[in-house]
Amino acid sequence: MATDKAATAAAKLKIAGAWTGVLEVQLESWTLPMLREDVARRSGGSPDCIKLICGGKILKDDGGSKPLQQLGLRNNSKVLASATSPDEGKALKQEEADQADRSSKLSRIRAAADALALRHAGGSLPVEDFNLELENQSGEKVNFGSENDQRAVMMGLMLHENAKSLIKKQKFKDALDVLSFAEEAFSLCDSKIIEMIDNVPILQLDTVWCYFMLRDISCLSMAGARLAKSREGFQRSHGRDNSRFRLLQAGRPAELALYVRLELLEGVVAFYSGNQVESYKALNAAKSKFDQLQVPDEALSLLMSMGYKEREAKRALRMNGQEIQSAVDFLIEEQSKKARRHQENIQRQNEIMEQKRYGMTINRRSVDIRSLNDLASMGFERYLAAEALRVNDNDTQKALDLLTDPEKNCALQQKIDSKKRSRQQRQAAVARAPVQTADSSDNSASIAVARDPIQTADSGDNSAIGSSIVDFESGSHELESQDSAGSPKEDRDEEMEDVLAKGLTGDAYADYDLDVSKEGEAIAEYLALLESATGMKTGSS
């Protein structure tokens, strides 16, 4: 009994500032808004104009529901009550609201990426109007062995793409948080797979670029370590002197913009570390590559006269060392890839629609289309082979054993016929039902998705890996078999999932086709600082 009384006894808080005195509060039940309101009442001010500080930290509401004990206040804690102007109080309240909104949005981004990766990496049929698949820069579908690796890479890619969109909007703090999520996702993947691709080195580079754009010198030590990892990763995936990358790119210097940014940032880190010689060396190397990326007006005008848009013409010239014929070949090749991907997406769309008719396996997976094609090529009826795979959870050998056993084959056929008769009876019952009025019409009609197929494909083998999205029509008649198999209804954040999906632009060269204008300005700025400090002169490029 004595212990209970001690636990509920009032604690004393020593308040100073706008009002000075001792308050008795219940730490387990009082919240920060209650404390702020009490101090404001005693000081004659408004709660919105009272800022409370304890232990050198501003106490923030965080929703206003946490008890003071959870905020770190104890018996005899000293709290400074600072009175602010009404405008400053409103600004503080708005800042807290913005921070809460930012935290909520970041949590939604992470949860949505996890949900998308879980569905699309696990063999489940998509429940939205697109399908995510991993592919290399050539547009070829790739698989990473285990489902967990597939999921980790897919989640990392989606989060990284979202971070890059935030960087373009100059929301660098938000981008850093999302990049941290992406880095965590990639870390869950087999390290041998990560070493094959350059997505993670690019992520490290993007992280340091955010540090630089925020002018956060406190991150200097982390920046140096990240840049070292980035360069090591590029050397591993691109090869020495980028020989492997150039081979995959048919000799094109597509990586130049990445190295402009890398060497600029290496130069900046060396500058602030006091290593002026290394800084000058890195900045001069960055300037040389920057100069190589400047597109001549004559070459640009010639390509635009052929009907190409300015953006794609500039990209083609930068990717091909300003060589006009190579740039034209590049543009034709990109158009051919786009047409091929469109046809592949149509084929995949048809496969998904077919898979939906077959229902789900016992482990909530769609019937594997490759295994189905293999069994059908042996002469088995397609619907029969699909059912054999479905009941055996896509185990091809077990499905084959079932199909080649006359007794089991007959039983399976009878089961399918029984399902078919039941379905026909339901359809007949629906046909006999009274016709609904327009006001009570249902939403069971097939709805065509208006968006064009979206794909992402970063670099190819030993380079970046991307996710592809295939759009398809969705309608209740295709989904019926999936629902009848007991597919659980998901509580989805459709809005955020759509944001992440739209971020996958289908641009295979997005990571390499950087607008390096800001890099050029920074190179000139730091070379000038070096020249004024040491008298070093910029070398000719």
Side-chain angles (χ1 to χ4, degrees):
M1 182 67 79
T3 304
D4 293 339
K5 288 182 178 180
T8 58
K12 294 182 179 180
L13 297 181
K14 299 177 181 178
I15 313 296
W19 177 81
T20 301
V22 177
L23 286 181
E24 291 191 354
V25 302
Q26 296 289 341
L27 294 175
E28 298 83 359
S29 59
W30 274 51
T31 62
L32 191 58
M34 292 169 62
L35 178 60
R36 185 181 285 121
E37 186 175 347
D38 198 318
V39 172
R41 179 175 57 81
R42 295 171 186 272
S43 65
S46 167
D48 291 340
C49 300
I50 296 295
K51 181 165 59 176
L52 301 177
I53 302 171
C54 181
K57 295 182 180 179
I58 298 176
L59 299 177
K60 296 186 177 181
D61 285 349
D62 192 23
S65 59
K66 289 184 178 180
L68 296 178
Q69 190 176 49
Q70 289 188 24
L71 297 178
L73 274 71
R74 300 289 182 267
N75 187 35
N76 291 322
S77 287
K78 296 179 181 178
V79 179
L80 174 64
S82 174
T84 64
S85 67
D87 289 342
E88 187 178 348
K90 289 179 181 178
L92 179 62
K93 197 169 184 178
Q94 184 61 44
E95 181 185 348
E96 292 176 355
D98 290 345
Q99 180 61 32
D101 182 65
R102 177 170 172 268
S103 297
S104 174
K105 188 172 183 179
L106 288 170
S107 297
R108 288 178 61 203
I109 289 172
R110 184 173 188 171
D114 187 39
L116 281 170
L118 178 62
R119 285 202 302 274
H120 291 266
S124 299
L125 287 173
V127 296
E128 54 281 284
D129 60 348
F130 51 85
N131 183 52
L132 295 173
E133 293 179 320
L134 295 173
E135 59 179 42
N136 60 25
Q137 190 176 20
S138 300
E140 300 167 339
K141 303 298 183 291
V142 292
N143 290 302
F144 287 128
S146 76
E147 180 183 322
N148 287 337
D149 289 335
Q150 289 273 111
R151 180 182 171 186
V153 172
M154 196 173 284
M155 184 176 178
L157 287 170
M158 283 188 284
L159 290 168
H160 192 186
E161 287 298 328
N162 183 259
K164 285 187 282 190
S165 70
L166 291 170
I167 290 173
K168 288 180 181 178
K169 297 173 185 176
Q170 300 189 35
K171 296 181 178 180
F172 300 110
K173 288 184 178 179
D174 290 349
L176 280 172
D177 286 328
V178 180
L179 285 168
S180 176
F181 294 158
E183 186 175 20
E184 181 182 344
F186 281 127
S187 71
L188 300 176
C189 186
D190 188 331
S191 59
K192 292 181 180 178
I193 292 172
I194 293 300
E195 289 176 358
M196 294 169 56
I197 59 179
D198 68 0
N199 299 86
V200 175
I202 292 172
L203 184 148
Q204 298 282 4
L205 188 58
D206 287 341
T207 300
V208 180
W209 180 248
C210 289
Y211 295 159
F212 176 73
M213 294 305 292
L214 291 169
R215 302 290 173 166
D216 192 347
I217 305 301
S218 64
C219 293
L220 193 63
S221 59
M222 288 188 294
R226 287 187 179 276
L227 290 175
K229 289 180 181 179
S230 182
R231 181 170 284 281
E232 180 183 348
F234 285 143
Q235 289 176 348
R236 189 167 48 239
S237 60
H238 293 176
R240 186 176 296 277
D241 298 324
N242 301 316
S243 56
R244 186 181 299 123
F245 185 81
R246 293 283 179 96
L247 181 63
L248 291 168
Q249 298 295 325
R252 300 185 185 107
E255 80 290 348
L256 279 180
L258 271 183
Y259 283 87
V260 169
R261 179 172 290 184
L262 174 63
E263 289 167 348
L264 158 66
L265 294 173
E266 287 176 335
V268 171
V269 169
F271 177 85
Y272 287 112
S273 298
N275 194 336
Q276 296 173 334
V277 174
E278 285 300 316
S279 176
Y280 173 78
K281 181 180 177 181
L283 290 169
N284 238 9
K287 184 179 184 304
S288 175
K289 293 177 178 63
F290 174 79
D291 291 341
Q292 292 177 54
L293 289 171
Q294 303 312 298
V295 176
D297 292 338
E298 299 81 3
L300 178 61
S301 178
L302 180 58
L303 286 185
M304 291 180 66
S305 69
M306 297 179 186
Y308 296 109
K309 295 180 180 179
E310 181 179 359
R311 185 180 182 281
E312 60 186 3
K314 280 185 175 180
R315 163 184 282 202
L317 288 166
R318 284 195 294 258
M319 294 284 175
N320 291 275
Q322 319 303 339
E323 294 183 8
I324 294 175
Q325 185 56 54
S326 296
V328 172
D329 293 342
F330 174 84
L331 289 165
I332 294 172
E333 181 184 326
E334 285 299 290
Q335 290 175 341
S336 176
K337 284 182 180 179
K338 186 176 181 180
R340 187 183 73 246
R341 287 172 185 158
H342 179 67
Q343 291 302 317
E344 290 174 350
N345 282 354
I346 292 175
Q347 179 183 349
R348 180 59 184 138
Q349 169 186 333
N350 293 333
E351 290 175 350
I352 290 172
M353 302 305 286
E354 180 184 13
Q355 286 174 298
K356 287 188 174 184
R357 292 196 296 270
Y358 298 139
M360 307 293 285
T361 71
I362 56 174
N363 284 328
R364 317 306 316 146
R365 301 174 189 273
S366 60
V367 171
D368 184 76
I369 205 72
R370 292 186 181 88
S371 298
L372 177 58
N373 290 337
D374 290 341
L375 292 174
S377 69
M378 298 178 189
F380 297 107
E381 292 290 343
R382 198 166 183 85
Y383 70 91
L384 193 63
E387 183 64 11
L389 286 168
R390 191 185 73 79
V391 298
N392 286 288
D393 199 32
N394 285 325
D395 188 317
T396 307
Q397 186 58 52
K398 288 182 179 180
L400 184 60
D401 291 343
L402 186 156
L403 291 168
T404 53
D405 184 313
E407 185 177 341
K408 292 180 178 179
N409 187 308
C410 183
L412 186 66
Q413 182 69 66
Q414 290 175 351
K415 180 180 178 182
I416 294 173
D417 290 341
S418 176
K419 283 185 177 181
K420 184 177 180 180
R421 284 193 299 270
S422 297
R423 185 166 58 251
Q424 288 172 342
Q425 290 171 359
R426 288 197 304 271
Q427 290 171 346
V430 171
R432 290 193 300 269
V435 178
Q436 293 178 324
T437 64
D439 290 337
S440 61
S441 60
D442 61 26
N443 294 316
S444 63
S446 178
I447 302 171
V449 181
R451 291 184 302 175
D452 291 329
I454 310 170
Q455 296 188 45
T456 70
D458 297 298
S459 67
D461 300 332
N462 296 316
S463 193
I465 299 294
S467 298
S468 73
I469 300 182
V470 183
D471 286 342
F472 55 86
E473 292 186 347
S474 60
S476 64
H477 60 287
E478 289 91 356
L479 293 171
E480 181 182 355
S481 61
Q482 186 175 353
D483 291 339
S484 64
S487 177
K489 299 295 183 182
E490 294 187 58
D491 183 15
R492 295 173 51 212
D493 187 345
E494 296 184 39
E495 180 184 7
M496 188 54 69
E497 287 184 7
D498 196 47
V499 168
L500 290 174
K502 287 180 178 178
L504 301 172
T505 61
D507 190 346
Y509 289 97
D511 284 326
Y512 312 112
D513 181 33
L514 302 176
D515 176 11
V516 292
S517 56
K518 290 187 181 297
E519 285 85 345
E521 294 171 2
I523 290 167
E525 175 188 350
Y526 280 90
L527 282 174
L529 287 172
L530 277 173
E531 183 177 340
S532 63
T534 65
M536 292 180 175
K537 298 291 184 180
T538 304
S540 58
S541 58

